[in-house]
Amino acid sequence: MSQNNSTERLWLSGNEAIALGAFEAGVKMASGYPGTPSTEILENFSKYEGVYTEWAPNEKVGLEVGIGSAFAGVRALVTMKHVGLNVAADPLFTASYTGVRAGLVIINADDPEMHSSQNEQDNRNYAFAAKLPMLEPSDPAEAKEFVKTAFEISEQFDTPVLVRTTTRIAHVKGLVDTGAHTTSSVEPGLVKMPAKFVMLPGNARARRVAIAERTEKLQDFAEKFEQNRIEWGDKKIGIITSGIPYLHVKEAFPEASVLKLGMVYPFPAEMIKDFAAQVEELYIVEELDPFIELHVKALGITCKGKEIVPAIGELNSHILKKAFGKETAEQFAPESLPPRPPNMCAGCPHRGLFFNLARLKVFVSGDIGCYTLGFLPPLSAMDTCVCMGASIGIAHGMDKALGEDGRGKTVAVIGDSTFFHSGLTGLTNVVYNKGNSTVVILDNRITAMTGHQENPASGATLQNQPAHVIDIEKLCQAIGVEHITTVDPHNLDETKKALEEALAFQGPSVVITRSPCVLIPSEKKRKKIPYFVDTKNCTGCKSCLRIGCPAVNWTPVSPEEGKDLGYKEKQKGHSMINEMCNGCGECAQLCKFDAIVKAGTEEA
Amino acid sequence: MKTNGNILFSGVGGQGILLASEITAYALLEAGMDVKKSEVHGMAQRGGSVVAHLRYGKKVYSPLIEPGAVDIMIAFESMEAVRYLPFLHSGSQVVANSHKIPPPSVATGKMEYPANLLDTLSSKVPVLSVDGFAIAKEVGEIRAANVVLVGAMSAFMPVDGDLFIQVMKKRLPAKILEVNLQAFSRGREVAQKNA
Ligand SMILES: Cc1ncc(C[n+]2csc(CCOP(=O)(O)OP(=O)(O)O)c2C)c(N)n1
Ligand code: SF4
Ligand code: SF4
């Protein structure tokens, strides 16, 4: 994609629009860490000409890279999901003090309803806590514009700027017009500005005052900012809203007067007071926390918010109509159906590990990735899941808390991307403090969960350049782990043996399960020989079903069909392998009756 | 002709719902409409139940369809047609793939796949059942079942069927264009025969 200044109308997702906005704003540097719903921003941005884009190992590093670029006078974009900002919070709070040279914009993607997250924290609170301006678009067209505006604000007010999206902006597609290209007036280069860049207490105290002045200036700016706007309608009801809830409000109450905040922090206090004074009843409609509501109430204004609008989960126009006592459409009651949770792919390398963890009946200190699906039946082999990297710290905590009583009974599981994100420090702690934990590193060579992004174990960068592959074995050795084994998780018995030995070892132990994710391009291309069930040999023991592969299905048969197949009377069905099979061979290892056969090896 | 509407896409992760909803959306855009589509990525894509909302009209605000407000539901799997029943009303049209994909509880023999799902559904709303899988097999590409369903659905939409064909020609890689065009017209025929 190259530069083109004539306007074109495109249909883009919020994430694609943000990438375009950054490109139009002259951004040259982008970093971040994958996380739904933010991931596609960097993937799309990397396709533009003349830009540098990278996956950092975690969000903290990603933000620090962005700060470096901004200090060097080059506009930078940093992206992450909401929980990623927790990881990046440390540089965030002090970057607020240092300010920038060239613009620095952080895209933070919240996930109300937890479509693919472990919590639904409302990161507008970070804007208040870190004293940073935050813009909140409501659709892809605004997302693009707001990113451009954010860079202007960043340079004008010497501040990093947060842009908050949610799942229903990031993954909504809508019409977006391309626009003019802007550039920074800042000169790239190394400029020493110790009073601003070196946050020792003496300097930081001076900056603290500068931040207070900046916030005041931003408050003035908010009063005039064209994206903080009033849409007058019927003055009986006035609604203050922002982001995606604005669209639900327009849908549900087209007649109401609306104050839409494009910038959710700092607030335009005068504008709010003026709006409140002109409407009979004032409501605040916002997703998750009463963020706007608390600030409006702090101005001494009476309003209704979370008394009627849910503070939990996503909003939509239906929920709003009900909250305001407005009539809603007739609808059918739901039917009760078998649930359809997600499952690991057929041939997923994680399956063999979790099958073994289940049969060893250990307590599994879990982590986040595709392998978290090992929690679900029939594997049911994950007992904790808190945040990325937590598996190792939690296992060590249990080991130290229980002493001999817990020895050899817990296993921490962590994916390769998660290990580089925040597992290294946990493992260092285990060794340093003489722990006994067994840590399994699930090395599938990719960050699979979020849609297959490269990581330090992949051998490629985000821009698809070859990269050094970090040797995980040597890394663990260097940390001081004495017992390290590497296994192919598709080999069930070998994996079991490796786990047993590691659990029996006195001291920290690591098992690396190494086999590529079946969905990475090289694996997709590789021709795989599928397995099939020789139904005559199948005794219906259901042994192969214990691994929960989506390609193996139980198939009931009628008494007559059973008879034809030569089955005993009590055999009610047989297993079947469908076209999804990726030929990993795990199910065949579980069959004691030679009923699961690799295609091409069957006896004539 | 109704110029605004709500289409709900439902199915199982990996069934090509993304492509189906993109083709539909681009056909509506070609017809000059505002279109918003909302979907969920991440965890939901590993074989779980997935749903995408598509809304079109002169101007679309919210990207989410309200319960009881779906005009057309296109379901790529039988059970997933029934799962989103609260989005339908008695005037909704359902276009459903008769294909069945067992969820884990059924695949492991713990539960049975509910019987006669589409019949029960058609006692509440009009249902066009399409054997997308069989038709796709006939045109020579089982992965084109999603486009068979789009073909069937297109017959219920207020835009010209040709727009879909134009969109596919513009947006699909040459390698898969021909089978998809065939899949589309076979699907459309099924709907027209049943009309
Ligand atoms: C702080 C934080 N950042 C990002 C995410 C999103 N996320 C969940 S799991 C994951 C990585 C999974 O990769 P890996 O550990 O290699 O396991 P895989 O999915 O490949 O099995 C990411 C990026 C998150 N949950 N928390
Ligand atoms: S995407 Fe890869 S890692 Fe994730 S479940 Fe599928 S095979 Fe396993
Ligand atoms: S060999 Fe068996 S376990 Fe492996 S993918 Fe095929 S059906 Fe699934």
Side-chain angles (χ1 to χ4, degrees):
Chain A
M1 288 184 241
S2 64
Q3 192 158 326
N4 178 0
N5 270 330
S6 65
T7 298
E8 202 186 335
R9 180 157 287 189
L10 304 170
W11 193 64
L12 302 178
S13 70
N15 283 346
E16 290 167 331
I18 288 169
L20 176 62
F23 180 63
E24 287 181 0
V27 174
K28 292 281 178 295
M29 268 285 300
S31 186
Y33 183 71
T36 315
S38 71
T39 313
E40 302 83 1
I41 301 170
L42 290 193
E43 290 176 330
N44 280 288
F45 185 70
S46 73
K47 293 177 194 154
Y48 289 103
E49 252 169 49
V51 303
Y52 171 79
T53 319
E54 66 172 30
W55 287 127
N58 68 28
E59 294 85 352
K60 175 178 179 317
V61 175
L63 178 52
E64 288 154 354
V65 169
I67 293 170
S69 178
F71 283 3
V74 176
R75 284 186 172 182
L77 181 78
V78 179
T79 71
M80 62 196 67
K81 72 181 289 168
H82 63 338
V83 286
L85 200 56
N86 300 334
V87 178
D90 203 4
L92 181 80
F93 278 69
T94 306
S96 174
Y97 281 45
T98 63
V100 297
R101 277 215 315 120
L104 173 61
V105 173
I106 300 142
I107 312 286
N108 163 88
D110 280 12
D111 188 17
E113 197 75 36
M114 295 172 269
H115 295 287
S116 22
S117 304
Q118 65 268 37
N119 77 35
E120 65 172 6
Q121 65 187 58
D122 184 335
N123 277 5
R124 293 177 300 171
N125 294 303
Y126 269 116
F128 176 71
K131 304 178 171 56
L132 290 171
M134 177 182 265
L135 304 184
E136 191 179 28
S138 63
D139 64 13
E142 280 189 358
K144 193 203 78 167
E145 281 317 307
F146 283 24
V147 168
K148 290 170 83 174
T149 308
F151 278 99
E152 303 295 325
I153 294 174
S154 177
E155 286 173 11
Q156 187 184 341
F157 294 93
D158 188 10
T159 178
V161 177
L162 290 158
V163 174
R164 177 191 188 235
T165 71
T166 61
T167 302
R168 301 302 185 180
I169 292 155
H171 292 162
V172 161
K173 285 188 121 182
L175 289 168
V176 178
D177 290 332
T178 62
H181 287 254
T182 58
T183 43
S184 169
S185 55
V186 180
E187 273 299 311
L190 293 173
V191 183
K192 296 198 182 190
M193 303 174 87
K196 186 169 146 57
F197 290 166
V198 185
M199 285 303 95
L200 289 170
N203 289 341
R205 278 184 209 111
R207 290 301 297 170
R208 176 65 188 88
V209 177
I211 300 317
E213 288 165 5
R214 180 179 77 197
T215 303
E216 263 178 46
K217 284 188 199 141
L218 280 161
Q219 279 161 350
D220 289 343
F221 171 80
E223 301 288 355
K224 287 162 274 164
F225 182 37
E226 57 188 15
Q227 296 298 344
N228 289 337
R229 62 165 192 263
I230 296 173
E231 295 171 8
W232 287 114
D234 183 352
K235 292 192 174 174
K236 265 208 219 75
I237 287 186
I239 299 174
I240 304 179
T241 185
S242 72
I244 193 81
Y246 161 76
L247 295 175
H248 301 322
V249 164
K250 294 298 279 186
E251 194 73 41
F253 318 112
E255 68 293 340
S257 291
V258 176
L259 167 50
K260 178 185 188 293
L261 294 175
M263 182 155 89
V264 284
Y265 189 79
F267 291 92
E270 294 309 317
M271 192 185 229
I272 290 171
K273 283 183 197 159
D274 185 45
F275 182 70
Q278 295 199 48
V279 296
E280 279 173 39
E281 273 186 283
L282 183 65
Y283 292 90
I284 316 293
V285 174
E286 55 190 328
E287 243 163 22
L288 305 181
D289 294 348
F291 182 75
I292 301 174
E293 183 180 343
L294 288 180
H295 287 88
V296 170
K297 284 186 170 158
L299 293 171
I301 297 170
T302 312
C303 63
K304 277 200 184 120
K306 292 298 164 187
E307 297 147 79
I308 62 165
V309 179
I312 298 174
E314 225 171 40
L315 297 180
N316 59 41
S317 48
H318 176 80
I319 293 172
L320 292 185
K321 283 179 187 168
K322 281 212 307 210
F324 282 77
K326 196 172 165 174
E327 207 186 324
T328 56
E330 59 142 347
Q331 67 186 77
F332 294 110
E335 297 266 327
S336 98
L337 295 169
R340 192 186 297 277
N343 188 1
M344 292 173 201
C345 305
C348 173
H350 298 330
R351 186 170 280 109
L353 171 71
F354 283 92
F355 173 73
N356 275 306
L357 292 171
R359 65 177 171 175
L360 289 171
K361 297 196 171 60
V362 284
F363 187 94
V364 180
S365 179
D367 224 303
I368 310 190
C370 278
Y371 50 97
T372 311
L373 295 171
F375 163 75
L376 295 170
L379 297 166
S380 309
M382 189 170 288
D383 302 295
T384 71
C385 173
V386 176
C387 69
M388 285 186 73
S391 58
I392 304 179
I394 289 174
H396 178 70
M398 289 180 159
D399 172 47
K400 288 291 174 186
L402 298 174
E404 275 308 319
D405 293 343
R407 196 95 352 124
K409 292 178 192 158
T410 60
V411 171
V413 294
I414 186 163
D416 51 348
S417 189
T418 305
F419 182 64
F420 291 116
H421 178 280
S422 46
L424 272 164
T425 42
L427 188 61
T428 306
N429 184 47
V430 174
V431 175
Y432 171 52
N433 285 310
K434 300 192 172 59
N436 276 288
S437 301
T438 295
V439 176
V440 181
I441 302 171
L442 293 81
D443 183 9
N444 62 353
R445 311 262 100 181
I446 203 83
T447 314
M449 170 89 254
T450 40
H452 306 92
Q453 290 74 37
E454 300 74 13
N455 72 45
S458 303
T461 67
L462 166 58
Q463 296 199 303
N464 214 9
Q465 296 300 308
H468 175 71
V469 180
I470 297 187
D471 186 326
I472 298 175
E473 284 86 339
K474 280 201 191 133
L475 189 60
C476 295
Q477 258 168 24
I479 289 173
V481 180
E482 284 170 19
H483 184 96
I484 303 166
T485 34
T486 302
V487 291
D488 174 1
H490 291 308
N491 186 328
L492 297 179
D493 289 338
E494 190 194 324
T495 304
K496 179 161 180 250
K497 189 164 150 258
L499 288 171
E500 283 168 341
E501 284 170 5
L503 284 163
F505 184 79
Q506 290 290 317
S509 55
V510 165
V511 175
I512 299 161
T513 58
R514 178 164 296 136
S515 180
C517 161
V518 298
L519 291 188
I520 61 176
S522 58
E523 277 300 295
K524 273 170 122 175
K525 261 186 241 139
R526 193 168 66 82
K527 184 121 185 72
K528 297 174 209 82
I529 305 166
Y531 284 70
F532 69 93
V533 174
D534 183 346
T535 41
K536 285 218 164 53
N537 282 1
C538 180
T539 63
C541 74
K542 296 190 179 174
S543 200
C544 58
L545 295 171
R546 290 181 295 158
I547 50 170
C549 173
V552 193
N553 296 340
W554 177 248
T555 313
V557 293
S558 65
E560 297 77 54
E561 288 169 318
K563 219 186 217 159
D564 288 347
L565 286 160
Y567 289 170
K568 294 203 180 107
E569 213 168 296
K570 62 178 203 298
Q571 183 172 347
K572 300 273 186 285
H574 59 75
S575 282
M576 274 283 262
I577 290 181
N578 65 31
E579 73 291 339
M580 281 191 273
C581 174
N582 271 315
C584 75
E586 288 183 19
C587 57
Q589 292 168 47
L590 296 176
C591 180
K592 295 194 190 73
F593 305 98
D594 293 330
I596 301 183
V597 191
K598 195 173 187 161
T601 65
E602 63 270 34
E603 284 159 29
Chain B
M1 199 172 352
K2 201 168 170 238
T3 53
N4 66 328
N6 299 323
I7 306 177
L8 193 76
F9 294 74
S10 70
V12 178
Q15 278 194 301
I17 295 180
L18 190 69
L19 178 72
S21 60
E22 295 278 295
I23 295 174
T24 310
Y26 277 109
L28 289 159
L29 288 164
E30 289 285 337
M33 303 206 200
D34 184 18
V35 182
K36 277 193 179 142
K37 186 179 79 156
S38 183
E39 57 201 28
V40 170
H41 300 194
M43 203 65 149
Q45 283 178 316
R46 302 275 173 276
S49 171
V50 287
V51 62
H53 298 226
L54 191 157
R55 306 194 64 217
Y56 64 91
K58 246 174 85 115
K59 163 110 187 110
V60 178
Y61 284 107
S62 171
L64 296 178
I65 303 173
E66 287 184 22
V70 161
D71 297 300
I72 304 177
M73 170 195 263
I74 166 166
F76 295 83
E77 201 272 349
S78 300
M79 200 191 297
E80 299 313 310
V82 181
R83 197 178 306 280
Y84 299 95
L85 191 58
F87 277 97
L88 307 179
H89 60 91
S90 50
S92 311
Q93 172 68 47
V94 174
V95 176
N97 194 353
S98 55
H99 185 59
K100 291 178 185 148
I101 300 177
S105 55
V106 175
T108 53
K110 299 246 158 27
M111 276 179 155
E112 275 181 33
Y113 194 97
N116 309 325
L117 278 175
L118 293 185
D119 294 342
T120 322
L121 186 61
S122 55
S123 68
K124 298 190 169 81
V125 291
V127 177
L128 173 69
S129 164
V130 182
D131 193 345
F133 209 64
I135 297 175
K137 237 185 205 159
E138 281 170 31
V139 304
E141 175 53 88
I142 48 171
R143 277 175 300 184
N146 55 348
V147 177
V148 174
L149 269 287
V150 173
M153 175 194 63
S154 72
F156 298 97
M157 284 180 52
V159 294
D160 200 334
D162 284 345
L163 287 180
F164 285 83
I165 293 170
Q166 275 174 36
V167 166
M168 284 194 278
K169 285 185 177 158
K170 221 193 275 181
R171 304 199 165 261
L172 293 185
K175 239 174 43 192
I176 60 164
L177 178 63
E178 198 40 48
V179 278
N180 279 292
L181 288 176
Q182 275 186 44
F184 178 84
S185 59
R186 289 289 303 275
R188 200 170 159 91
E189 272 165 38
V190 173
Q192 283 162 341
K193 252 185 247 150
N194 279 271

